[in-house]
Amino acid sequence: MRRRFVAGAVAVLAASAGVGALAPSADAAPTVGIKVDAGTSLGTVPSSGAGLNLGFGDEHMGDAKVTSLMKAAGVRQLRYPGGSGADEYHWKTHTSGDGKGWIPSNTNFDRFMTIAKKVGAQPILTANYGSGTPQEAADWVKYSNVDKGYGVKYWEIGNEVYGNGHYGNGKGWERDDHADKSPKEYGKNLVAYSKAMKAVDPTVKIGAVLTTPGGWPDKEKAPGDTADWNNTVLSIAGSSIDFVIVHWYPGGKTTADLLNTPSKIAATTSELRSLVAKYTGSRAASVEIAVTETDGVGSPALTSQAAALFAPDTYMTWFEQGATHVDWWNLHNGTDQAPTTVHGETDYQDGGILSAGTCAGGKCQPRRDTPFPTYWGIRSLTALAKPGDTMVKSSSGNSSVTVHAVRNSTGGLNVMLTNKSPQNAAQVSLSYAGFTPAAGAVTTVSYGKGDTALTTAKRGTAVAQTLPPYSITTLQLKPRSGTAGADKPTPAPTPTAVTPVVSAPGTTGTRAQGEVGAPVGQSTPSSTSGDLASTGASSAATYSALGGLLVIAAGGVLVLRGRRRRGLHGK
């Protein structure tokens, strides 16, 4: 059905002239045109909503303040027991590696499930592939879903298994004790894991670890391989899995590079869908895409405003492209990197959304659990959408402003606008199809540079807004009286052609590569040091090996460090 757009200068603006209306001037920046087609559906916001990673090394993940902050941010999924640490973690004994290293006693599986319940989040678990067995994973399913009745549905088999050294002349970051580290072997073992786990509970969903299209080692073939990782794994295990897993760390040399990366998600998703269709046949439509790690690592911004703008744009773009899970890295992380200044703002170079309270380079983070801007970027999504709401088509006339739109269950329409310019305000003019907004000033929920909370106000109109520099602004629109609110959305056409994803210079495919700065297409050196991840650690540190981990005696505080992850909490 052809839809008529309501022009920005018509009706609504006329009815509310003088309330947030734009006053054009000779030297004003060109107005950015925004179109929202409320009648074309891009699907519904998944039940998992905004997801977040938790690591077994984070002794504060269950603190009352922390669980309250997660709940307020609308976190609906929690990933456990961590990143690379998952391939060393033994759930039954709550130990890592050879069991000799210290792990907080309050982060075991039952404690994690208690936290997930408090937050109101569904769990997604990573079974130990690197040093575990199918039987260990099956026992975990039995304990979780049969003995305890937790009903955990989603299970990943390993973390970044392709980082086991099969590529890069044996130099990797992911533990894998299998003698054969090839994708063929992972595919065979993936089938074994799936069979053992589904024998205990046939309702569980099993996920396969894939390389991210466009990121190393995507499309690589090691000596002896007949195909790359993704084609090999799916050709063997396609009939045994229920979802595929990628990690999205696009990075960028500049903050502008980072903020432009969500535009690559459509091509990435298209390639993943093509692979799934090739190897799962009639089941392809039911095989989900899970992005179980993402953040701004590999770019200048990890905690500052650019990362805050990147977060909601990334979540929503993946959801609009059909991903059912997107999990930010990380709750707490910590760092041993000195803070930097990004567009006049301190960036603590920390992958957590909450401060770990650590010190590095003679400078300390804010008090532990202080929300970084990335937290507020994620929390901004609560003003836009809830699980089950309908995402609708929208577009921007200029890449400096991004837009996402959602039709809610009450007939209203929410529109999120992000101004990616760090210096200049953006004048925007909005038009609508399939929805006629009410006249007058509109409710906006915004987050700007330097803010320490979301701000709700009456500002501008449904058709004209001024967006502050480096800001997120969500319009919460009501339908005009006497209208139906919005046409019943029809699904957007599904693209049929697959656009190959080409690696751009500086692109990273995994967090490990982003941390060590390995370029795409080259091997990633192993890293035996991570970032500090406790509070009060001084610059004086004593290192000693213990249980495959590094223990740091720093300022009287014992801190575990991951082999590969930057920070204890990311274990």
Side-chain angles (χ1 to χ4, degrees):
M1 178 176 68
R2 184 178 180 182
R3 295 182 172 84
R4 179 176 61 87
F5 280 89
V6 180
V10 179
V12 178
L13 184 56
S16 58
V19 185
L22 303 179
S25 63
D27 56 353
T31 298
V32 177
I34 300 293
K35 292 184 178 182
V36 179
D37 184 352
T40 299
S41 169
L42 301 179
T44 57
V45 178
S47 60
S48 61
L52 184 63
N53 276 269
L54 272 62
F56 63 76
D58 184 358
E59 62 185 317
H60 297 290
M61 66 183 183
D63 290 358
K65 178 180 179 181
V66 173
T67 56
S68 177
L69 284 168
M70 287 192 283
K71 189 177 184 69
V75 172
R76 294 297 186 95
Q77 177 165 284
L78 293 173
R79 181 178 182 242
Y80 176 89
S84 294
D87 279 318
E88 300 195 38
Y89 181 70
H90 301 286
W91 72 271
K92 192 176 293 186
T93 56
H94 187 51
T95 57
S96 177
D98 62 7
K100 296 180 181 179
W102 176 82
I103 293 177
S105 60
N106 64 346
T107 63
N108 63 19
F109 174 56
D110 286 315
R111 176 64 170 157
F112 165 76
M113 290 303 301
T114 299
I115 292 167
K117 184 176 181 180
K118 284 183 179 179
V119 174
Q122 71 175 26
I124 181 168
L125 302 180
T126 306
N128 184 342
Y129 176 81
S131 58
T133 64
Q135 187 59 54
E136 181 183 35
D139 289 345
W140 198 357
V141 173
K142 180 179 182 299
Y143 178 80
S144 170
N145 294 0
V146 178
D147 299 343
K148 302 292 288 189
Y150 290 141
V152 177
K153 187 175 183 181
Y154 291 94
W155 300 75
E156 301 178 58
I157 308 305
N159 185 54
E160 293 168 354
V161 185
Y162 47 78
N164 60 11
H166 180 68
Y167 307 101
N169 299 318
K171 296 179 180 180
W173 61 88
E174 199 74 14
R175 180 170 178 174
D176 185 355
D177 293 347
H178 298 89
D180 183 349
K181 295 175 171 54
S182 69
K184 182 177 180 180
E185 184 69 7
Y186 175 66
K188 288 166 54 180
N189 289 325
L190 180 55
V191 172
Y193 270 77
S194 179
K195 183 177 180 181
M197 296 164 78
K198 290 194 174 192
V200 175
D201 181 355
T203 69
V204 298
K205 293 195 173 187
I206 303 300
V209 173
L210 299 186
T211 61
T212 305
W216 191 86
D218 183 50
K219 300 180 178 64
E220 293 283 320
K221 286 193 288 185
D225 290 348
T226 57
D228 63 15
W229 181 275
N230 289 353
N231 280 279
T232 302
V233 170
L234 291 177
S235 68
I236 296 168
S239 62
S240 300
I241 64 166
D242 304 286
F243 63 104
V244 296
I245 304 151
V246 293
H247 290 173
W248 177 251
Y249 292 112
K253 292 182 179 180
T254 67
T255 54
D257 290 340
L258 175 69
L259 294 177
N260 287 333
T261 57
S263 65
K264 302 176 183 178
I265 290 173
T268 301
T269 308
S270 179
E271 185 168 331
L272 289 171
R273 281 288 171 211
S274 179
L275 283 165
V276 168
K278 182 177 180 180
Y279 294 110
T280 63
S282 61
R283 298 176 52 247
S286 66
V287 176
E288 301 174 41
I289 295 174
V291 184
T292 58
E293 290 186 22
T294 186
D295 74 7
V297 72
S299 80
L302 270 76
T303 68
S304 54
Q305 190 71 3
L309 306 187
F310 169 76
D313 195 15
T314 294
Y315 277 103
M316 289 306 300
T317 304
W318 275 109
F319 290 155
E320 289 163 358
Q321 294 299 321
T324 51
H325 310 263
V326 180
D327 304 318
W328 190 264
W329 184 275
N330 194 14
L331 175 60
H332 295 104
N333 199 73
T335 182
D336 60 5
Q337 303 296 302
T340 61
T341 300
V342 180
H343 296 301
E345 186 179 24
T346 299
D347 192 296
Y348 292 97
Q349 297 295 294
D350 187 319
I353 63 170
L354 302 181
S355 171
T358 56
C359 301
K363 297 182 180 180
C364 295
Q365 293 184 1
R367 186 176 180 178
R368 194 187 69 231
D369 300 331
T370 299
F372 287 131
T374 42
Y375 170 85
W376 295 110
I378 293 170
R379 186 160 168 172
S380 294
L381 290 168
T382 61
L384 175 67
K386 296 178 180 178
D389 286 349
T390 302
M391 300 173 289
V392 296
K393 187 177 179 180
S394 60
S395 62
S396 171
N398 191 305
S399 62
S400 65
V401 176
T402 62
V403 57
H404 299 281
V406 171
R407 201 186 84 180
N408 61 40
S409 59
T410 62
L413 180 70
N414 299 331
V415 181
M416 176 177 279
L417 302 167
T418 301
N419 180 5
K420 299 190 292 185
S421 171
Q423 293 91 18
N424 302 316
Q427 314 290 347
V428 297
S429 174
L430 300 98
S431 56
Y432 304 87
F435 182 85
T436 304
V442 301
T443 298
T444 65
V445 181
S446 61
Y447 179 70
K449 185 177 178 181
D451 290 352
T452 56
L454 303 183
T455 300
T456 301
K458 291 285 188 179
R459 193 178 81 189
T461 70
V463 297
Q465 289 283 331
T466 300
L467 310 178
Y470 252 24
S471 66
I472 303 166
T473 302
T474 300
L475 316 184
Q476 297 182 328
L477 307 176
K478 296 180 179 180
R480 191 177 68 185
S481 179
T483 65
D487 297 339
K488 185 176 181 179
T490 56
T494 302
T496 55
V498 177
T499 304
V501 180
V502 180
S503 300
T507 303
T508 58
T510 69
R511 186 175 185 88
Q513 294 166 35
E515 288 167 351
V516 299
V520 174
Q522 296 185 19
S523 61
T524 303
S526 59
S527 174
T528 57
S529 64
D531 291 345
L532 296 176
S534 183
T535 57
S538 71
S539 59
T542 302
Y543 297 77
S544 62
L546 182 64
L549 302 172
L550 293 177
V551 176
I552 307 170
V557 180
L558 278 181
V559 187
L560 271 152
R561 291 175 64 154
R563 290 179 171 185
R564 198 270 298 179
R565 287 277 174 221
R566 287 190 181 271
L568 160 69
H569 304 305
K571 287 304 304 168

